[in-house]
Amino acid sequence: MKSRHEAWVRPPGLDPEEAAEPLLRDLHSSRAGLTSVEAWQRLQYGRNELRRRGGRRWPRELARQFPHPLALLLWLAAALLAAAFVYAPPFQKLL
């Protein structure tokens, strides 16, 4: 099945394999990947993984983002909606 958006996804006249060759050349790489020597040299910098810093951080992150103007606007909208449910019971019938 042919996609309606194939021209958008893969523009005519553009071959992804052709574009890969200059990229590999510029990065001094090959389709085979890293050699054993290159892999060993890069491993000297450390493993490619993120280290977790101790403890739970989400409360601190939430507190840090709370004074952001968009966050305040969303909190205000939530408070107004809650007030509408509490103080205007006919409003509940609309939902």
Side-chain angles (χ1 to χ4, degrees):
M1 182 171 157
K2 205 168 188 181
S3 171
R4 293 184 315 164
H5 305 290
E6 190 162 333
W8 179 65
V9 175
R10 182 176 293 163
L14 180 64
D15 181 17
E17 293 298 318
E18 182 182 332
E21 292 305 323
L23 180 62
L24 290 170
R25 184 192 65 235
D26 293 344
L27 294 174
H28 306 290
S29 188
S30 70
R31 290 182 184 274
L34 297 177
T35 64
S36 300
V37 174
E38 277 183 293
W40 178 253
Q41 287 173 345
R42 291 185 185 195
L43 194 56
Q44 300 303 314
Y45 293 107
R47 298 186 62 80
N48 188 17
E49 59 189 24
L50 298 175
R51 285 185 234 146
R52 288 187 69 86
R53 298 182 200 163
R56 293 179 13 176
R57 296 176 50 107
W58 68 265
R60 188 180 320 142
E61 289 296 319
L62 180 63
R64 200 182 100 232
Q65 293 175 10
F66 183 74
H68 190 277
L70 280 177
L72 291 175
L73 182 65
L74 288 172
W75 281 108
L76 177 66
L80 289 174
L81 184 62
F85 274 111
V86 172
Y87 295 112
F91 179 71
Q92 291 176 352
K93 292 178 184 175
L94 295 175
L95 299 177

